[in-house]
Amino acid sequence: MAKEKIDFSDEKVREAYRHTTSHILAQAVKRLYPEAQLGIGPAIEDGFYYDFDLSHRFTDQDLMKLQKEIKKIIQANYPIEVFELPRDEAIKYMEDLHEDYKVELINDLPEGETISFYKQGEFVDLCKGPHMESTGKIKAVKLQSVAGAYWRGSEKNKMLQRIYGTSFPTQQELDEYLKKLEEAKKRDHRKIGKEMDLFALFEEGPGFPFFLPRGMILRNELENFWREEHKKRGYDEIKTPLILNEELWHTSGHWDHYQDNMYFTEIDEGDYAVKPMNCPGALLTYKRKMWSYRDMPIKMAELGLVHRHELSGALHGLMRVRSFTQDDGHIFMLPEQTTDEVKKVIELVDYIYKIFGFEYHIELSTMPEKAMGTREEWDKAELDLKAAIEELKLPYIINEGDGAFYGPKLDFHLKDSLGRTWQCGTIQLDFQMPQRFDLTYIGSDGEKHRPVMIHRAIFGSLERFIGILTEHFAGKFPLWLAPTQVKILTVAEAFNEYATDLAEKFSDEGFRVETDLRNEKIGYKIREARNARDSYIIVIGEKEEQSGIIPIKSNKHGDMGEMPVNEFMEKIKEEVRTKAL
RNA sequence: GCUGGCGUGGCUCAACGGUAGAGCAGCUGAUUUGUAAUCAGCAGGUUGGGGGUUCGAUUCCCUCCGCCAGCUCCA
């Protein structure tokens, strides 16, 4: 029999392959734990999962046993056959098997349709397919982990046990994938942040990150860059207080819609709240005086520190914290300016992300359950956002019901080292706050009118953005961001004076330079400088002192040969100026 | 918050019912060195907090806190 090749680059094939693997896992579980009830078991981006309701808790050893059983099922090479039943019979069939979750799923399917099942050996599962033609088609399987997951994704439902796994057409591809995962873990910003001494989290403040001196260098560079770009585009920077009275949060709607995530405090027997968002401060800033239609759009930028009570289990390094600085911006404008202004922000996001070499995807998030305002207002806002993004011809996906409580939004998502995506940039359209705060401007007709408002962030939060940056570059930041740009090492103490003078030269030219004059072997100093991910390493000995020519080692490009000091300085000046990657 | 796992000196880990041990980092001294770890010595821990079982707990149990994975949520 000719061995047919599985085309794993085809997403459909990959999905069928992983989906079939998940059925095999379910079959193995049913063999070892017949009392287990089946949830759902789809293919996901890099593998698959299957949910089970079972009082026995799966352990790592259980996963090994299941893996063995999976092997048996593959070796048996059961043909996978599809058959259909009318809805009533399908329900009865699953009831007889005591598959309560499957019964619930069928009940939710439209009436009048026949229900398809897939059968392999003794195992049958409700499924719309497609699948591989037999279990023997699956070659390399790895069960990776077990975790809890709510039935149908709702915390109101029972928590099931979810087994994650992946599969590939060859053992080699599986091994490569697992190796890639291991490599990715080395880029984890929590690990690199510790190694490079950039930031820290302590038990004394779960979710409240500390920025250390070297991390502050990076952060300040980002902020400087951000300020420059916003000034160019007509934003005025403001700073609003962390704590404002409770009344304000009633007006803004946060008290009704966001209370669970807020911290409260008391001052002189008055009730106050710590801001979870910057917008009310910006709104007060707007309201301090009268505006004319000629002033529009008014763009206020704020690096605003906000505090949000996130669930303890959701905290994750710098990616999800309880206090963070949003690179916020609030744009007040005439209704007819909306699409244009949204487009400008999208272009700014794209411009800035490209500087870091990020790829991203955009989501349009629509009206949530807990929302202010009417359906009509939301429809209008959603249409405005759509118009902007479609005029720019950018691809996007729709994230139903995930908007902010005051308006729909366009979200920009970036990937971390393990491929998990994090929302960073956001553009939110808001018809609600201007009403609630009774914002007005005087139109050309001399009458008062209501402005429209955009809330937007580019980085999203400095913290999350720095986390993503760290993983993206594995700590080897572009020169303009690197905490240590030049590290000068001496071969022996005799050259310390020359090295110190050289360092001063770099420092005078505005570079972040450090020397290592310790009485250590050169190999040891190089090793430390490399581990610290210093951008450029220069070794100074007799030859260098005599010639004025220095050998350059880059953390990104390796050994770069020798060049005169001035030439090297010009080169890296240019590298900083262009923000080269 | 939920499910499961984990918590030993600054870091990475060992010991596992008989009152903790290594490497790295740190400090001191020697070495003055040419491209990823020079040698020696010293110091550092009431084993996350509290409670219980036991003659005895880092080890077993309970509880709280924190961390990790996932769910939920979100910048």
Side-chain angles (χ1 to χ4, degrees):
Chain A
M1 191 174 77
K3 220 176 165 185
E4 75 269 57
K5 189 109 173 92
I6 292 168
D7 179 13
F8 224 52
S9 62
D10 184 337
E11 196 185 321
K12 290 252 169 15
V13 173
R14 222 160 47 222
E15 216 177 291
Y17 194 88
R18 263 77 181 258
H19 194 173
T20 294
T21 321
S22 89
H23 275 217
I24 296 174
L25 165 64
Q27 184 172 15
V29 168
K30 284 299 255 186
R31 282 185 181 179
L32 270 48
Y33 309 93
E35 71 279 20
Q37 286 188 302
L38 304 177
I40 57 166
I44 51 176
E45 185 158 355
D46 284 319
F48 61 88
Y49 67 77
Y50 212 112
D51 289 342
F52 304 95
D53 188 1
L54 177 66
S55 57
H56 169 78
R57 298 289 156 200
F58 290 122
T59 63
D60 286 351
Q61 271 158 8
D62 295 337
L63 289 191
M64 307 232 280
K65 279 185 218 151
L66 285 168
Q67 192 131 348
K68 276 191 191 137
E69 197 60 38
I70 284 171
K71 209 166 222 173
K72 281 188 207 160
I73 295 166
I74 290 172
Q75 273 161 4
N77 196 16
Y78 300 112
I80 299 173
E81 294 155 334
V82 61
F83 65 91
E84 294 192 343
L85 290 176
R87 203 159 172 277
D88 298 350
E89 283 179 42
I91 292 173
K92 174 84 174 47
Y93 184 39
M94 283 292 119
E95 276 174 352
D96 290 346
L97 290 172
H98 305 288
E99 294 290 359
D100 299 345
Y101 296 96
K102 298 291 181 188
V103 172
E104 188 183 325
L105 289 174
I106 299 172
N107 270 318
D108 282 357
L109 290 171
E111 285 192 44
E113 275 183 25
T114 56
I115 312 295
S116 65
F117 290 88
Y118 281 77
K119 181 175 190 305
Q120 56 200 52
E122 83 287 358
F123 177 78
V124 174
D125 197 357
L126 164 74
C127 188
K128 64 179 189 300
H131 281 281
M132 309 304 283
E133 48 280 33
S134 71
T135 58
K137 293 277 181 263
I138 308 302
K139 301 299 177 195
V141 181
K142 169 83 180 167
L143 299 183
Q144 292 165 289
S145 61
V146 48
Y150 297 109
W151 169 238
R152 305 192 119 182
S154 169
E155 58 189 330
K156 292 183 189 79
N157 292 338
K158 185 167 182 184
M159 184 162 269
L160 310 179
Q161 295 187 78
R162 174 171 296 177
I163 296 179
Y164 282 92
T166 191
S167 59
F168 285 86
T170 63
Q171 186 64 38
Q172 191 192 342
E173 282 166 274
L174 174 62
D175 290 344
E176 276 165 16
Y177 170 75
L178 294 175
K179 199 174 162 205
K180 216 178 82 190
L181 272 188
E182 284 306 307
E183 288 300 313
K185 277 186 195 154
K186 291 184 190 159
R187 301 168 80 101
D188 191 315
H189 74 285
R190 293 167 297 189
K191 184 172 148 62
I192 292 179
K194 194 180 273 181
E195 286 169 4
M196 292 182 71
D197 216 22
L198 300 175
F199 58 85
L201 284 152
F202 301 109
E203 248 183 70
E204 288 81 351
F208 301 121
F210 286 56
F211 274 81
L212 306 175
R214 290 166 63 79
M216 275 312 288
I217 290 172
L218 177 61
R219 183 179 170 131
N220 284 333
E221 287 294 340
L222 283 175
E223 288 188 7
N224 293 342
F225 167 61
W226 183 89
R227 286 202 169 91
E228 236 170 75
E229 295 300 331
H230 282 77
K231 202 185 271 177
K232 279 186 210 163
R233 289 168 178 77
Y235 285 83
D236 293 312
E237 189 173 354
I238 58 170
K239 186 74 88 184
T240 69
L242 262 60
I243 298 174
L244 292 161
N245 80 10
E246 202 179 282
E247 186 57 31
L248 176 77
W249 303 103
H250 278 102
T251 307
S252 69
H254 285 85
W255 212 86
D256 286 336
H257 296 273
Y258 210 71
Q259 209 187 133
D260 292 347
N261 284 298
M262 292 171 67
Y263 298 109
F264 295 93
T265 186
E266 207 176 279
I267 300 173
D268 292 343
E269 287 159 44
D271 294 322
Y272 285 75
V274 182
K275 68 175 175 184
M277 297 186 193
N278 301 301
C279 33
L283 286 152
L284 291 180
T285 310
Y286 179 94
K287 264 181 84 93
R288 77 191 189 280
K289 63 177 194 176
M290 296 284 275
W291 297 97
S292 149
Y293 71 98
R294 296 174 201 274
D295 297 319
M296 303 290 178
I298 294 157
K299 303 182 185 182
M300 297 180 190
E302 173 173 17
L303 291 170
L305 176 61
V306 297
H307 288 74
R308 298 182 184 177
H309 179 78
E310 298 295 341
L311 294 177
S312 58
L315 301 179
H316 182 95
L318 240 36
M319 302 293 204
R320 191 187 269 100
V321 291
R322 284 177 173 160
S323 79
F324 55 100
T325 300
Q326 293 183 301
D327 63 318
D328 223 331
H330 294 95
I331 302 171
F332 303 92
M333 65 208 164
L334 311 177
E336 60 268 28
Q337 291 173 327
T338 310
T339 301
D340 231 36
E341 286 305 317
V342 171
K343 274 164 72 180
K344 281 185 195 166
V345 180
I346 295 174
E347 282 164 346
L348 177 57
V349 173
D350 183 65
Y351 171 76
I352 289 187
Y353 285 7
K354 282 214 170 92
I355 286 189
F356 299 97
F358 286 142
E359 283 173 30
Y360 61 89
H361 80 265
I362 306 175
E363 293 183 11
L364 171 65
S365 296
T366 60
M367 188 171 178
E369 269 178 49
K370 248 180 126 189
M372 293 190 315
T374 63
R375 186 73 249 185
E376 290 70 43
E377 290 168 321
W378 278 80
D379 286 345
K380 163 91 173 77
E382 287 172 19
L383 279 175
D384 281 348
L385 284 179
K386 258 190 201 162
I389 192 160
E390 277 167 11
E391 278 176 38
L392 290 170
K393 297 189 171 49
L394 290 169
Y396 65 97
I397 57 174
I398 291 181
N399 198 352
E400 215 64 68
D402 206 36
F405 66 83
Y406 45 75
K409 54 185 188 165
L410 285 173
D411 293 327
F412 297 76
H413 293 251
L414 295 172
K415 274 188 189 170
D416 73 8
S417 62
L418 289 173
R420 295 176 290 209
T421 69
W422 298 90
Q423 182 190 322
C424 289
T426 182
I427 305 173
Q428 312 178 344
L429 210 47
D430 184 358
F431 293 87
Q432 303 302 322
M433 297 280 171
Q435 278 177 37
R436 294 196 149 229
F437 281 82
D438 192 26
L439 300 192
T440 57
Y441 64 89
I442 306 301
S444 57
D445 55 2
E447 300 292 319
K448 280 185 177 177
H449 297 273
R450 183 85 69 215
V452 176
M453 182 179 183
I454 289 174
H455 312 240
R456 39 109 291 171
I458 314 293
F459 296 146
S461 81
L462 269 303
E463 288 74 8
R464 179 174 290 181
F465 199 76
I466 288 170
I468 297 272
L469 270 180
T470 305
E471 303 202 349
H472 182 68
F473 293 111
K476 296 176 182 176
F477 297 105
L479 193 62
W480 67 285
L481 291 172
T484 304
Q485 296 171 317
V486 178
K487 179 77 144 260
I488 301 177
L489 316 178
T490 50
V491 158
E493 278 175 2
F495 314 107
N496 284 0
E497 202 182 320
Y498 178 69
T500 307
D501 288 350
L502 195 58
E504 213 176 302
K505 261 194 191 168
F506 278 100
S507 181
D508 287 348
E509 292 294 325
F511 293 108
R512 295 185 284 271
V513 59
E514 282 170 22
T515 53
D516 186 347
L517 309 178
R518 290 175 306 168
N519 175 19
E520 294 287 353
K521 297 197 109 171
I522 191 64
Y524 180 77
K525 293 189 190 182
I526 288 175
R527 185 186 144 81
E528 282 207 338
R530 281 192 183 274
N531 287 342
R533 298 171 177 82
D534 297 334
S535 297
Y536 288 104
I537 300 172
I538 299 170
V539 176
I540 295 297
E542 187 172 2
K543 201 174 114 198
E544 288 70 28
E545 181 161 0
Q546 301 284 317
S547 66
I549 292 184
I550 49 176
I552 313 297
K553 252 186 250 302
S554 156
N555 68 347
K556 288 196 272 292
H557 313 111
D559 214 316
M560 295 175 69
E562 304 180 330
M563 61 184 87
V565 176
N566 287 340
E567 190 185 324
F568 176 62
M569 251 185 219
E570 286 311 310
K571 196 176 145 59
I572 60 175
K573 241 183 240 175
E574 189 63 8
E575 188 176 342
V576 168
R577 195 186 63 76
T578 58
K579 299 191 166 57
L581 291 175

